[in-house]
Amino acid sequence: MARVAARLSTDGEQSTHPVDEVLPLPKLALYGFQHVLAFYAGAVIVPIIVGNALKLSPEQLVYLINADLFTCGIASIVQALGVGRIGARLPLIQGVTFTAVSPMIAIGLGAGGGTAALLAIYGAVITAGIATFAFAWLPAKAFRAVMRLFPPVVTGTVITVLGIVLIPVGLNDAAGGLGTPDFGDPKNFAYAGGTMLFILVLMRLGRPFLSSIAILLGLVGGTTVAFLFGDAHFAGVGDADWVGITTPFHFGAPKFAWFPILLMLIVMLITMVETTGDTYAVGDIVGKEVDSETVARALRADGAATALGGVLNSFPYVAFAENVGLVRMTKVKSRFVVVAAGVFMIVLGLLPKAAAVVAAVPHGVLGGAATVMFGMVALAGIQTLARVDLKEEKNALVVGVSLAFALLPATVPVLFKEHMGTDLSSLLNSGVTLGATAAIVLNLIFNGPARDDAHGPKAAIAEAATGSAGTEPEAATAETATGSAGTEPEAASDKAATDKVATDKAGATDETAVAPAP
């Protein structure tokens, strides 16, 4: 017989701070700032890439970065704190999605570059954000029907793809940053390796507090060493203004055209899959049950943030997988840490000098920390896939073929650059887009839609009854009478264990169900 065990929380393994606990102000500030540092490189890379591709001036580029940080802060606070039925109330950082980079460049170049390109992009971003927000307000029955397209085999694959696609981003930073004069210089790898080693040593010490701020200490320590060797430069801090206010429609009124809107709608479809996967992943990490309503609230926050981004001169937003990895590494579960991070981001968005200090962290140091976190993102996906019976050939094909599609753009870029039209290339030249699309389509072909909300308690109990979750049963925590949830029960063939889980799910008891081991 398989076992349904309890996943208990101890100081050495899990944080003592639950997701809804407000930590003391010093800890909130420290943990929140760590999230900002972990997120910063990913936050600014999209406006930098898009701005350079569209030939924007340095002043315009700085404005884009500040607008991005300011909107990220607002979006993260809404997602973590919640406003009515908007926001997942989980420790999810919102950031500009990498999926939108190629489509936005294609839209911008088609509009002739410069500020005219931004206006076309913002029209599409606002429209797509409103559409996403409206979609997430579908009636519960209709929304659950859509969520049946995203069982663990799909969301687990998408999260794994995100980690795999992001790891090269971290490695490129470790090499010095693509396009920089010293790209590939061994000293960059030395900074990256030293930062990574320092982080791993702190994690290995096993002290909960040190482990929880390992990324922050790694970034500070690596930057200090680089500064002593003359490779961290803070001259930009003196050149930056003290205050920079983001105003709506700074570059002019947005332009609305059907093709840019179509591209951005496709981008938002992919980001919805990303956010769905990240929401389930972080819910599992913090021990809070995620159902279709939680996902709907997360997607409403995505849509609202994206529409706001178009108004405030920024881009489409998604729950950032990088910071899901950070939550897992640090085991700091409180969503109010993300609220604190949001406040920091708003401040950085208003104070270009403060943002310039953070921007002075060398690429090599960022790359060392980012590679660790991106690897943890991939691990979060693998853990989701652990619920799936991968001995079943259909599921194995969904995962394996989707991973192959995800690697296609990075492995054979010539296919997209030279053998596809600009419009088609802008749609397909993304590992996340191809991998997520392949996972959804292949799962429908081989398995069809899930029978119910594929991640909720009903699905978990069904898995326990049928043994379809996988061969390695994972731990599960029973819900209390108040409705709080832990990790969903997984594969168990013993009927008594299944009945016990169902009883606990109904709130009849607070005790943990453990079926006898064989």
Side-chain angles (χ1 to χ4, degrees):
M1 292 181 292
R3 179 183 299 176
V4 180
R7 188 173 288 168
L8 299 178
S9 194
T10 65
D11 285 345
E13 296 176 354
Q14 299 289 341
S15 169
T16 56
H17 308 301
V19 66
D20 293 319
E21 180 181 350
V22 181
L23 306 183
L25 187 59
K27 284 189 174 183
L28 276 180
L30 188 63
Y31 294 149
F33 192 61
Q34 178 173 242
H35 267 288
V36 173
L37 288 179
F39 146 96
Y40 190 85
V44 302
I45 194 65
V46 173
I48 288 173
I49 293 173
V50 174
N52 287 332
L54 301 182
K55 309 299 183 185
L56 300 181
S57 69
E59 293 77 15
Q60 291 170 330
L61 187 56
V62 168
Y63 193 93
L64 283 186
I65 293 172
N66 284 334
D68 177 23
L69 290 170
F70 183 78
T71 313
C72 282
I74 296 173
S76 296
I77 291 172
V78 170
Q79 185 71 275
L81 192 61
V83 178
R85 294 178 65 191
I86 303 172
R89 293 179 171 82
L90 290 169
L92 287 168
I93 289 278
Q94 297 293 105
V96 176
T97 175
F98 289 92
T99 308
V101 170
S102 294
M104 287 194 298
I105 291 175
I107 292 169
L109 293 179
T115 56
L118 291 176
L119 300 181
I121 291 171
Y122 292 147
V125 168
I126 292 171
T127 305
I130 293 172
T132 303
F133 186 77
F135 167 79
W137 286 98
L138 284 174
K141 186 175 182 180
F143 189 82
R144 281 196 299 269
V146 174
M147 295 311 299
R148 292 171 62 200
L149 301 177
F150 308 120
V153 69
V154 172
T155 56
T157 300
V158 172
I159 300 169
T160 305
V161 163
L162 277 170
I164 291 174
V165 170
L166 287 171
I167 285 173
V169 176
L171 293 176
N172 279 325
D173 265 332
L178 279 174
T180 58
D182 62 346
F183 182 71
D185 191 316
K187 71 177 180 181
N188 295 319
F189 290 107
Y191 290 134
T195 302
M196 185 183 297
L197 179 62
F198 185 44
I199 291 170
L200 294 177
V201 168
L202 292 176
M203 299 295 294
R204 179 63 181 85
L205 291 176
R207 299 177 182 271
F209 181 71
L210 281 180
S211 297
S212 67
I213 60 171
I215 297 294
L216 173 60
L217 294 178
L219 291 170
V220 172
T223 302
T224 301
V225 172
F227 178 76
L228 294 175
F229 281 93
D231 292 316
H233 307 288
F234 295 91
V237 177
D239 297 334
D241 293 331
W242 280 103
V243 178
I245 305 297
T246 297
T247 56
F249 306 120
H250 174 78
F251 297 101
K255 306 293 183 183
F256 299 90
W258 73 268
F259 182 70
I261 289 173
L262 174 62
L263 281 181
M264 207 54 59
L265 287 172
I266 294 173
V267 167
M268 291 308 295
L269 177 62
I270 301 302
T271 63
M272 283 193 284
V273 181
E274 292 182 38
T275 293
T276 299
D278 290 339
T279 303
Y280 282 119
V282 81
D284 186 57
I285 292 168
V286 304
K288 186 171 183 178
E289 184 177 306
V290 172
D291 56 15
S292 58
E293 172 59 21
T294 307
V295 174
R297 293 200 308 265
L299 294 178
R300 289 167 199 153
D302 270 8
T306 297
L308 181 65
V311 173
L312 294 180
N313 319 291
S314 190
F315 304 116
Y317 283 87
V318 69
F320 243 39
E322 294 94 312
N323 293 79
V324 174
L326 183 61
V327 173
R328 174 176 174 76
M329 285 184 63
T330 64
K331 299 180 176 65
V332 177
K333 303 175 181 179
S334 172
R335 60 191 173 100
F336 294 99
V337 169
V338 169
V339 175
V343 173
F344 276 121
M345 284 186 275
I346 291 174
V347 172
L348 287 173
L350 294 173
L351 301 175
K353 279 190 181 295
V357 172
V358 182
V361 177
H363 282 286
V365 175
L366 278 174
T371 301
V372 175
M373 289 188 301
F374 296 159
M376 297 303 290
V377 172
L379 176 61
I382 292 170
Q383 287 186 315
T384 300
L385 290 174
R387 304 176 182 178
V388 180
D389 183 5
L390 294 179
K391 290 185 177 181
E392 172 61 50
E393 189 178 56
K394 294 178 181 180
N395 293 329
L397 284 172
V398 171
V399 178
V401 176
S402 299
L403 290 175
F405 270 93
L407 294 174
L408 185 60
T411 308
V412 194
V414 66
L415 173 65
F416 303 90
K417 293 179 180 179
E418 298 182 12
H419 300 288
M420 288 186 185
T422 303
D423 293 346
L424 185 60
S425 177
S426 64
L427 284 174
L428 301 180
N429 191 11
S430 164
V432 176
T433 300
L434 289 181
T437 303
I440 294 170
V441 172
L442 289 173
N443 180 67
L444 285 175
I445 292 173
F446 286 113
N447 297 320
R451 287 170 294 179
D452 204 333
D453 182 352
H455 296 262
K458 290 182 181 178
I461 294 170
E463 286 179 357
T466 61
S468 61
T471 58
E472 292 291 330
E474 289 192 356
T477 305
E479 279 187 301
T480 64
T482 60
S484 62
T487 306
E488 296 140 8
E490 307 236 342
S493 58
D494 185 64
K495 180 65 167 60
T498 304
D499 291 341
K500 180 64 175 167
V501 171
T503 301
D504 287 345
K505 287 290 177 182
T509 180
D510 240 358
E511 298 175 357
T512 304
V514 181

